Amino acid sequence: MRINIHTYYYGNNYGALLQSLFFKTYLKNQFNVQVNFHSYQPKNFLYREEIKPIIKKNIIHSINSIKRFLKFRKWKKKYIQSKPNTQFIIDQENSNCLSFYGSDEIWNFNNPFFGYDPFFFGKKNQGFKCSYAASFGTSASDEMGNDMFEEIKLLLKNFKFISVRDKSSHNFLKKNFNIESEIVLDPIFLIDNELELFLEKKERIANYNYCLIYGKFFTEKEIEIIINFSKKKNLKIVSVGYYNKWANLNFVDSNPSDFLNFFNYSDYIFTSMFHGVLFSVKYNKNFLFTNDPYRKNKLDYFIKLFNIEDRLFSNNTNIEDTINYSEINLELNKQKKLSKEFINKSFKYFLNNEN
């Protein structure tokens, strides 16, 4: 048998790449079967992820983007392996395999970059379909046209099991389609030994103590707080993936393996990114995050579930407060178990009904 994963597996976003790879690795190790990424990727998605960042008026920024592009391509050739195809085609073998749709915002029908794509709702796939940790993203707060509504409603009816990764997506499915869904963890939590699996260099990259910056959505006041805190603690300010002129060091072209290394060895983390919060919790780091409106829907459930609302910059009274991870890890282990049970349930049901 075979398992296909339908998601944004070939972008240049750390979170999207790593959640895809972690999910594939978990399924392969858990069930000892062939696991593939379905090769389809929207043309506009690939353009936004790989080409658009290179088109800059500033020649230095363009050169840095090219370096990043080349490093990511090399990393994807080694770990992702599957090459993308922009043709929306479902081969006949799908009828004999288990298809997982997700994780990521594959159901964001108002995606500001490439819009609604029926492929990620299972169109043309007559096989056994489940979703894992799918998300509607910001569109969970939006209305949809009648034609789109009817098509999505019909397509979702053909899913045997549905899980999402945030409460807003769960509520959206219930309110609009009367569909009950399970809320599961992002795939980055399915793998516990990724530093052994994916990092070429297991020792720390940086030979100094540092606070890590991941993202760009910071106010002037928050930047001032970060700078003063780093000076007080004698920490360098290291920005990964994004250029922040106020950081001491910027590593905008780090590949995903180095990204994990920076997270793992950091002394403190400041982030405005969804996966920035998730990896901070995964590695039990002290961190603060800013509330980027684009990511609010998908983050709210996670921070409430683990009772970490005080890690929001505007809610935190003392930046030096440390996080007690004992209770967080108990809940995290519980949620890991439930998430893996959902996957096992889907797999067993498919085996019992594939003929």
Side-chain angles (χ1 to χ4, degrees):
M1 68 162 292
R2 183 166 64 114
I3 297 177
N4 275 348
I5 300 172
H6 304 68
T7 191
Y8 303 132
Y9 72 92
Y10 206 79
N12 282 354
N13 176 285
Y14 296 115
L17 277 172
L18 291 169
Q19 65 87 8
S20 299
L21 187 55
F22 286 21
F23 191 36
K24 180 181 179 181
T25 302
Y26 175 78
L27 293 174
K28 184 177 180 180
N29 292 345
Q30 180 71 9
F31 302 120
N32 193 29
V33 297
Q34 181 183 354
V35 183
N36 301 319
F37 293 118
H38 191 281
S39 62
Y40 173 74
Q41 300 285 268
K43 185 182 297 184
N44 288 341
F45 167 74
L46 293 177
Y47 172 79
R48 171 183 174 264
E49 291 290 303
E50 295 195 326
I51 306 303
K52 188 176 181 180
I54 296 173
I55 306 172
K56 304 281 189 181
K57 292 182 179 180
N58 187 312
I59 188 65
I60 300 300
H61 291 168
S62 291
I63 292 173
N64 288 335
S65 295
I66 292 171
K67 289 179 180 178
R68 176 185 171 94
F69 170 86
L70 294 174
K71 283 189 177 181
F72 270 70
R73 270 294 176 95
K74 182 179 179 180
W75 188 90
K76 285 186 281 192
K77 183 177 181 179
K78 181 174 183 178
Y79 290 114
I80 299 298
Q81 300 175 347
S82 303
K83 292 184 178 180
N85 184 345
T86 57
Q87 297 300 311
F88 183 170
I89 298 173
I90 297 288
D91 58 60
Q92 294 302 312
E93 293 182 17
N94 270 282
S95 60
N96 299 316
C97 78
L98 168 58
S99 292
F100 276 109
Y101 286 75
S103 178
D104 218 334
E105 291 185 35
I106 59 168
W107 288 348
N108 188 342
F109 54 85
N110 280 333
N111 187 295
F113 307 107
F114 36 89
Y116 166 60
D117 194 326
F119 169 86
F120 292 106
F121 288 88
K123 191 169 185 177
K124 294 187 180 180
N125 182 358
Q126 301 303 313
F128 190 96
K129 300 187 289 289
C130 302
S131 72
Y132 183 81
S135 176
F136 286 91
T138 54
S139 67
S141 304
D142 297 339
E143 299 291 334
M144 64 182 81
N146 288 335
D147 290 344
M148 185 188 296
F149 172 82
E150 292 299 332
E151 180 173 43
I152 291 176
K153 180 180 179 180
L154 182 63
L155 291 172
L156 290 177
K157 279 186 176 180
N158 292 319
F159 278 72
K160 181 56 65 175
F161 300 108
I162 292 180
S163 69
V164 295
R165 71 180 184 189
D166 53 78
K167 191 70 172 179
S168 58
S169 295
H170 170 87
N171 293 342
F172 186 83
L173 285 169
K174 178 64 177 177
K175 176 184 177 182
N176 290 278
F177 306 109
N178 198 28
I179 292 176
E180 292 290 350
S181 59
E182 297 185 38
I183 303 179
V184 295
L185 290 175
D186 186 280
I188 71 161
F189 293 105
L190 296 176
I191 299 291
D192 293 323
N193 63 333
E194 71 277 358
L195 296 176
E196 295 297 322
L197 291 172
F198 304 132
L199 282 181
E200 297 87 351
K201 297 178 181 178
K202 301 193 176 55
E203 70 277 7
R204 61 186 295 159
I205 296 173
N207 60 358
Y208 43 79
N209 295 331
Y210 61 93
C211 62
L212 186 68
I213 311 300
Y214 179 44
K216 287 185 68 68
F217 195 86
F218 301 95
T219 66
E220 290 297 322
K221 180 62 177 178
E222 289 164 351
I223 293 171
E224 181 183 352
I225 291 173
I226 294 171
I227 292 173
N228 290 338
F229 173 79
S230 65
K231 288 179 179 178
K232 180 179 179 180
K233 297 296 183 180
N234 196 27
L235 301 173
K236 288 186 180 296
I237 302 175
V238 172
S239 179
V240 63
Y242 295 90
Y243 179 81
N244 286 290
K245 64 181 181 180
W246 44 274
N248 299 121
L249 296 165
N250 285 276
F251 296 93
V252 297
D253 60 350
S254 293
N255 68 32
S257 296
D258 291 340
F259 170 86
L260 289 180
N261 193 296
F262 275 122
F263 262 84
N264 185 50
Y265 290 106
S266 63
D267 293 276
Y268 207 102
I269 295 169
F270 300 95
T271 185
S272 62
M273 306 296 289
F274 174 75
H275 278 102
V277 173
L278 269 59
F279 275 112
S280 296
V281 171
K282 181 178 175 66
Y283 293 143
N284 284 193
K285 296 294 182 176
N286 283 315
F287 73 97
L288 287 181
F289 71 98
T290 62
N291 214 346
D292 185 341
Y294 183 76
R295 296 169 175 86
K296 187 177 186 301
N297 274 4
K298 55 186 179 180
L299 254 183
D300 274 357
Y301 175 75
F302 186 86
I303 63 174
K304 289 175 182 175
L305 176 65
F306 294 103
N307 195 26
I308 51 175
E309 294 101 323
D310 64 326
R311 306 320 295 180
L312 179 63
F313 250 111
S314 59
N315 293 346
N316 192 270
T317 55
N318 187 352
I319 194 172
E320 297 189 40
D321 287 347
T322 58
I323 302 174
N324 183 348
Y325 272 101
S326 57
E327 291 188 7
I328 292 175
N329 288 333
L330 286 175
E331 181 63 33
L332 187 58
N333 288 332
K334 174 185 172 183
Q335 295 301 322
K336 284 181 184 179
K337 184 174 182 291
L338 292 173
S339 299
K340 292 175 180 179
E341 285 176 353
F342 174 86
I343 296 172
N344 291 338
K345 174 181 67 177
S346 302
F347 183 80
K348 289 178 180 178
Y349 191 95
F350 171 73
L351 286 183
N352 292 334
N353 293 274
E354 63 176 326
N355 294 322

